[in-house]
Amino acid sequence: MSSRRKFIRGSLLSSFAIAMSGLKSCTNANAEEAVTKGKTTPSTKSIPTVISTWNNRVANEKAWSIIENGGRAIDAVEQGVKLVEADPEDQSVGYGGRPDRDGNVTLDACIMDEAGNAGAVCFLQNIKHPISVARKVMEDTPHVILAGEGALKFALSEGFKEEDLLTELSRNEWEEWRKTSDYKPKINIENHDTIGMLAIDQAGNISGACTTSGLAYKMQGRVGDSPIIGAGLYIDNEVGGATATGMGEAVLKSVGSFLVVELMRQGKSPDEACKEAVMRIIKKQDYKDLQVGYLAVNKAGETGSYSIHPGFTYVVNKASKTQTKDALSYL
Ligand code: GLY
């Protein structure tokens, strides 16, 4: 059973909290947030906050621990998503990710900080932590995106090591897939999900990270939304941040994360902004076999989400709690 299936099943049962003490929050820090399938209560206004796609509680807790100790949001999101990149059981991100049609694991990632700095890599192969290469692109080059061979050369020059990222499990599944080459996406499960993480630190600064192995069995060279600033991730420290998961092509065509942030700038709540961004997709294309989910956080620390299909889960850390929630959905 894929780890994502386990996550989804687990999320239906999860409503527990893990105590993390010693952190001061601004307002309403102890308010309960119900975990209700398909329905969430309004998010509390409180910072710090960490929120990430799917049920990656360990990643969220890693990020939270950095923020709890006074660290920066940019460090929190990088270190948090690295845990998922390194997990061979997560077949949608990093090491162990499902390959393209030709058996190549190709990775996309981007990162953005509170000052509007951004870095990204796409079509990167054989490097376990694309998010850290993206951060190096942001900090050590005059560019925003490096792709393919150039991204790999840059990573090696920065001391990253090449390694084979195709695990036996993903190789076996790919061999099986090749018998039929059926390219129909399986919603919420095999074909497209991503970890996107947003964090607000104790100073009130917002950063985000997004990393994926992309659509399983994609055409060689395909790049999704995840490394594209404005599509898979966007941060504006005056307003908030947003990130996306699901079918990257739909997110790219609507510049989804930028749209969510701009809608929040216009006064929409994070939930409302995510919903409006999903509705833009629904109005323009057949969404029956297509999942997209958005997460957002505003400057006050209110969080929100919306997806096309049910089954999109996410994790929120606020004050002393880690909570898994089900996103609101159109269907
Ligand atoms: N959202 C990830 C991808 O489509 O590649």
Side-chain angles (χ1 to χ4, degrees), residues 108 192-194 212-215 222 224-226 244-249:
D108 295 340
H192 43 85
D193 49 7
T194 300
T212 188
S213 51
L215 202 62
R222 181 264 188 188
D225 61 310
S226 300
T245 183
M247 184 64 82
E249 282 72 6

Side-chain angles (χ1 to χ4, degrees), residues 92 97-108 122-125 174 177 183 191 212-224 249:
S92 304
R98 292 186 179 84
D100 65 16
R101 295 175 189 191
D102 302 315
N104 309 298
V105 179
T106 72
L107 305 177
D108 295 340
C122 55
F123 196 59
L124 177 63
Q125 295 181 62
W174 170 63
W177 174 82
Y183 196 54
N191 275 13
T212 188
S213 51
L215 202 62
Y217 318 133
K218 59 199 174 187
M219 291 175 70
Q220 190 175 16
R222 181 264 188 188
V223 171
E249 282 72 6

Side-chain angles (χ1 to χ4, degrees), residues 75-192:
D75 295 319
V77 295
E78 180 190 2
Q79 295 305 318
V81 302
K82 275 180 78 174
L83 293 183
V84 183
E85 289 182 335
D87 180 359
E89 286 196 14
D90 192 310
Q91 293 179 274
S92 304
V93 178
Y95 175 53
R98 292 186 179 84
D100 65 16
R101 295 175 189 191
D102 302 315
N104 309 298
V105 179
T106 72
L107 305 177
D108 295 340
C110 76
I111 194 161
M112 193 163 186
D113 73 10
E114 75 280 359
N117 299 308
V121 288
C122 55
F123 196 59
L124 177 63
Q125 295 181 62
N126 299 324
I127 299 290
K128 194 183 261 177
H129 290 299
I131 198 66
S132 297
V133 185
R135 184 161 180 184
K136 291 281 186 194
V137 172
M138 176 174 85
E139 292 179 343
D140 296 352
T141 80
H143 306 305
V144 173
I145 305 178
L146 292 180
E149 270 300 305
L152 178 60
K153 269 190 205 162
F154 171 70
L156 296 175
S157 77
E158 291 280 343
F160 292 85
K161 299 276 172 284
E162 268 190 285
E163 52 195 303
D164 184 4
L165 303 180
L166 185 60
T167 56
E168 197 182 334
L169 174 63
S170 285
R171 179 190 296 279
N172 290 342
E173 285 185 5
W174 170 63
E175 300 278 8
E176 198 55 36
W177 174 82
R178 282 208 297 175
K179 291 178 186 163
T180 58
S181 299
D182 176 11
Y183 196 54
K184 195 172 175 200
K186 293 176 185 161
I187 291 195
N188 291 330
I189 304 179
E190 279 86 1
N191 275 13
H192 43 85

Side-chain angles (χ1 to χ4, degrees), residues 28-43:
N28 294 338
N30 298 319
E32 283 294 325
E33 290 177 76
V35 181
T36 313
K37 182 159 170 45
K39 203 165 76 174
T40 54
T41 52
S43 171

